[in-house]
Amino acid sequence: MLTLTFLVKTLIDLYVMVLLLRIWMQWSRCDFYNPLSQFIVKITQPVLKPLRRILPSIGPVDTAPLLLAFVLTTLKYPILLLIQVGAFSVDPMNLLVGLLSLVKSVGYLVFWVIIIRSLMSWISQGRGPIDHVLIQLTEPLMAPIRRILPAMGGIDFSAMVVILILYMLNYLGMDLFPGLWYLL
């Protein structure tokens, strides 16, 4: 049962991350002819195409992937409970759990995109097609910090500051929702 629980949780979490990445890429107006962007679009388009007929976009935010990500995070824990215990629980508290899980997933996504961008800056030094998308995604977060804290000795500390802010927000989530935040 643990293997099935791990597999289901991982698949749901990864697909939610891909959906959130698609929203983030649309919000930051990334180049959609990039290979990474094309992969994200191809993996999400079969599910989102029917949803788009029902849900229109609201400004720069595409509501179809956002709603699908919320539904997946809301159903994740009842499905895991069904796998582990054999009982399916429909509770209004699942909406709060789904919303908190979605917020935590956004934080994890930002964290990993910044880490990957930092590692890629050492390897390919901004010349690869994936680097361009990562720069487009993270620059709105890192540029304001770079204006306050300039590079010292050629080292850019803005990624570290954004990660420290994400850690602080994670600890704030632990303080506000002590038992629940660990389970998400």
Side-chain angles (χ1 to χ4, degrees):
M1 285 302 188
L2 289 176
T3 306
L4 184 60
T5 302
F6 170 76
L7 184 65
V8 169
K9 184 179 183 315
T10 302
L11 289 175
I12 290 173
D13 287 342
L14 285 175
Y15 200 71
V16 166
M17 292 279 191
V18 169
L19 289 168
L20 292 173
L21 188 59
R22 181 174 175 145
I23 295 168
W24 190 9
M25 290 170 70
Q26 288 175 342
W27 177 72
S28 63
R29 294 187 176 94
C30 284
D31 178 23
F32 271 90
Y33 294 106
N34 190 295
L36 176 65
S37 303
Q38 288 295 311
F39 171 74
I40 299 295
V41 168
K42 285 180 183 176
I43 202 168
T44 57
Q45 191 63 21
V47 179
L48 293 178
K49 190 174 183 179
L51 277 176
R52 283 221 174 88
R53 294 180 188 141
I54 301 167
L55 295 169
S57 295
I58 300 174
V61 177
D62 193 4
T63 55
L66 186 60
L67 178 69
L68 183 60
F70 176 69
V71 167
L72 285 174
T73 57
T74 302
L75 291 176
K76 177 172 61 172
Y77 291 102
I79 290 171
L80 293 177
L81 185 67
L82 179 67
I83 292 170
Q84 292 175 350
V85 181
F88 190 78
S89 170
V90 178
D91 188 12
M93 189 69 163
N94 289 344
L95 295 174
L96 175 65
V97 171
L99 182 65
L100 290 176
S101 181
L102 188 64
V103 168
K104 195 169 182 179
S105 295
V106 168
Y108 278 138
L109 179 64
V110 172
F111 174 80
W112 284 110
V113 168
I114 288 176
I115 291 291
I116 292 169
R117 177 188 172 181
S118 299
L119 292 175
M120 293 293 286
S121 71
W122 294 346
I123 298 167
S124 64
Q125 299 173 351
R127 291 187 289 264
I130 294 176
D131 291 327
H132 186 64
V133 170
L134 293 175
I135 289 169
Q136 286 178 324
L137 288 173
T138 57
E139 200 57 32
L141 299 171
M142 295 169 65
I145 294 170
R146 207 174 288 125
R147 277 185 245 127
I148 297 169
L149 183 70
M152 291 180 246
I155 300 174
D156 183 17
F157 289 105
S158 60
M160 186 171 56
V161 172
V162 172
I163 288 173
L164 287 174
I165 291 170
L166 288 171
Y167 268 105
M168 181 191 69
L169 291 173
N170 192 28
Y171 280 110
L172 180 66
M174 288 181 213
D175 287 340
L176 293 176
F177 306 99
L180 185 60
W181 196 260
Y182 292 111
L183 298 174
L184 301 178

